[in-house]
Amino acid sequence: MSNPSPHPEAPTGQASPGPVRRFLARGGILVWVLAAIILALVLGSIQIGGSHLVPMPIGRIFATFSDLFSQFLSFSIPLIIIGLVTPAIADLGRGAGRWLAITAAIAYSSTLFAGFVTYLACAATLPRLLGGTTLTNVEEPGSALETYFSVEMPAAVGVMTALLLSFVVGIGLSMVPRGVLRKGFIEFRAIITALIERIIIPLLPLHIFGIFLNLTYTGEAWAIMRTPLRVVVVVLLLEVLILGVQYLVAGAVGHRNPFKALITMLPAYLTALGTSSSAATIPVTLRQARKNGVADAVASFTVPLCATIHLAGSTSKIFAFAYAIALTQGVSVSAAQWVGFIFMLGITMVAAPGVPGGAIMAATGLLSSMLGFNDAQVALMIATYIALDAFGTATNVTGDGAIAIVVDRLAHGRIGPEGDPENTRELAFDGMKYLDRVSVDGVVSAEELEASAAAAGPNAVSH
């Protein structure tokens, strides 16, 4: 008599997944990112006989992978923006300009809110906290694990160029009757979606592991949090406050549980801690926004757009460190100058290229022209900011999810034809049905399209 199978639910010839694998599968990207960070911190900190548990040659393998993946991300980011934003704007129809303006206004308002809250908090706390403190010893974190080799992967276009191109082409496609170009962008969106789901998302935890292993190997993962600790504590508390207000507003407008929505966005927050790039975190932010109930069309429009124009966390951190440096370096800045700096900083953040440290690089001109920082103080500002760049970026991308909820509610789950009869006819074209048809047969004739439209009903292809 044979023994019963320990896993009767498993198919014949296939082992049932263990409890660890089942837990990882249920937890999704959040569990994998957390596991990567914790594992890197543990393995990078342990030393045996004065040597790291992870030997240098092995560490360099992970550093090489992270460098290559980072290069690939930089190459992919403009393509992701074009592939998602262009068809999303085209699907808006003649209401495209309206929703662009609404989303940009919400993002700018959020950035201004972060700036002014930070101003009030810094003015109230930093003069007492930083009495007799100097920030001159802050250094930019380096790298101990050199890569075995590096491959340059220059992007086809810059991030800002991709965003502007998406605006121009997307708005143009929303006004032009359907044709091959719009169908081409629908197919390109499918390619980008596959790139995100099958390559970028699965490999992100390994990339984050390599980044944190490098930081922990040199001890910088802990040193960064101590330099300068008092300013860091103020900044982190402010970012919690900013995210709390953003999701309370989003929850009130979108009729959602703000705490549940914020928890859902945690994978995007943790991924941004590893990548330090809002743009590189777009795939995860997009996925989590959809899990929050945001419609696909709205999420595909708001998330890539806000990754470039919504930098509330970076604005808060730049202002806090600028205030601290001005206070500790004896730079005299009036209240009017600080207010003007906040308004200009919100606009300048749009020019941040979506790469690690991009926000502070875009703001260096304001630091010199509006606050009177000299070259040494600007350099100190850059080093201080980059040391904690990831936390501002994480706040940025998490806030993008709140904006997506607000826009989704205002658009009633879809960004539609705005009552224009011609636009209604235009938007009757269902891009995904078309794409499914093309993917099967390769070429679709007019007769096949007509038959498909008749079979699928009014949501298929219209003439």
Side-chain angles (χ1 to χ4, degrees):
M1 181 177 178
S2 60
N3 293 327
S5 171
H7 300 288
E9 73 279 3
T12 304
Q14 180 178 352
S16 175
V20 175
R21 290 184 60 187
R22 289 198 299 268
F23 174 75
L24 291 174
R26 285 196 302 267
I29 188 68
L30 172 61
V31 175
W32 285 102
V33 170
L34 277 175
I37 294 174
I38 294 172
L39 193 62
L41 292 175
V42 172
L43 294 180
S45 301
I46 296 176
Q47 295 189 24
I48 300 178
S51 300
H52 286 277
L53 179 63
V54 179
M56 179 74 75
I58 301 298
R60 291 181 64 189
I61 292 176
F62 289 106
T64 302
F65 172 82
S66 289
D67 179 74
L68 293 174
F69 190 79
S70 178
Q71 292 281 352
F72 181 72
L73 272 180
S74 298
F75 166 78
S76 302
I77 286 166
L79 300 181
I80 291 174
I81 291 175
I82 295 173
L84 295 180
V85 174
T86 303
I89 294 177
D91 288 343
L92 301 184
R94 299 183 188 275
R98 174 173 177 258
W99 289 109
L100 280 173
I102 289 174
T103 306
I106 294 173
Y108 186 60
S109 299
S110 174
T111 301
L112 290 182
F113 166 75
F116 282 110
V117 166
T118 304
Y119 181 22
L120 294 175
C122 289
T125 60
L126 291 189
R128 292 194 301 271
L129 292 176
L130 297 180
T133 302
T134 178
L135 300 178
T136 54
N137 293 325
V138 178
E139 296 180 357
E140 181 177 342
S143 175
L145 299 175
E146 296 182 1
T147 62
Y148 282 110
F149 61 92
S150 181
V151 178
E152 293 292 331
M153 303 180 193
V157 296
V159 170
M160 280 305 297
T161 301
L163 191 64
L164 293 174
L165 181 64
S166 298
F167 289 169
V168 173
V169 177
I171 292 175
L173 290 177
S174 73
M175 299 177 180
V176 175
R178 62 187 182 277
V180 293
L181 185 58
R182 184 178 175 191
K183 295 175 183 177
F185 272 103
I186 290 171
E187 296 177 12
F188 185 57
R189 177 171 58 189
I191 294 172
I192 294 301
T193 300
L195 171 69
I196 292 172
E197 294 178 349
R198 301 180 184 180
I199 298 178
I200 295 180
I201 292 290
L203 293 180
L204 262 178
L206 189 58
H207 172 52
I208 292 173
F209 174 82
I211 293 173
F212 274 85
L213 181 66
N214 186 29
L215 288 174
T216 312
Y217 200 92
T218 62
E220 290 170 349
W222 313 111
I224 285 174
M225 293 305 301
R226 299 193 300 266
T227 312
L229 184 58
R230 281 169 285 189
V231 182
V232 169
V233 170
V234 172
V235 170
L236 294 182
L237 290 176
L238 280 170
E239 292 182 346
V240 171
L241 173 64
I242 291 167
L243 286 177
V245 173
Q246 287 175 340
Y247 276 86
L248 285 174
V249 173
V253 174
H255 301 295
R256 289 176 173 85
N257 185 326
F259 303 103
K260 183 179 179 181
L262 183 56
I263 291 173
T264 301
M265 294 302 299
L266 276 180
Y269 186 94
L270 293 172
T271 301
L273 285 181
T275 62
S276 296
S277 169
S278 297
T281 315
I282 286 175
V284 180
T285 312
L286 192 62
R287 170 192 282 189
Q288 300 311 118
R290 288 168 175 163
K291 287 185 178 180
N292 266 335
V294 178
D296 285 350
V298 177
S300 296
F301 170 65
T302 55
V303 169
L305 174 60
C306 288
T308 302
I309 68 173
H310 179 233
L311 285 86
S314 295
T315 298
S316 176
K317 191 148 61 71
I318 287 175
F319 186 93
F321 284 122
Y323 195 96
I325 289 175
L327 196 62
T328 57
Q329 299 293 312
V331 180
S332 178
V333 182
S334 67
Q337 286 177 293
W338 284 124
V339 170
F341 178 69
I342 292 172
F343 278 103
M344 289 303 300
L345 188 60
I347 297 174
T348 304
M349 287 299 94
V350 178
V355 297
I360 187 60
M361 297 305 174
T364 53
L366 296 181
L367 294 171
S368 301
S369 62
M370 299 191 70
L371 302 184
F373 280 22
N374 58 32
D375 291 344
Q377 290 160 347
V378 170
L380 177 60
M381 180 73 191
I382 293 173
T384 308
Y385 179 92
I386 291 180
L388 288 157
D389 183 32
F391 290 98
T393 303
T395 305
N396 295 339
V397 301
T398 308
D400 294 348
I403 293 179
I405 292 174
V406 173
V407 175
D408 185 66
R409 174 62 179 175
L410 295 177
H412 302 290
R414 63 180 181 85
I415 304 180
E418 300 298 321
D420 186 330
E422 181 180 350
N423 202 45
T424 301
R425 182 178 62 83
E426 162 62 12
L427 291 179
F429 171 77
D430 190 319
M432 296 314 296
K433 284 188 173 65
Y434 161 80
L435 184 58
D436 290 340
R437 186 68 173 168
V438 172
S439 299
V440 174
D441 294 338
V443 178
V444 182
S445 66
E447 292 76 12
E448 288 174 321
L449 282 176
E450 186 174 355
S452 175
N459 290 325
V461 181
S462 63
H463 292 288

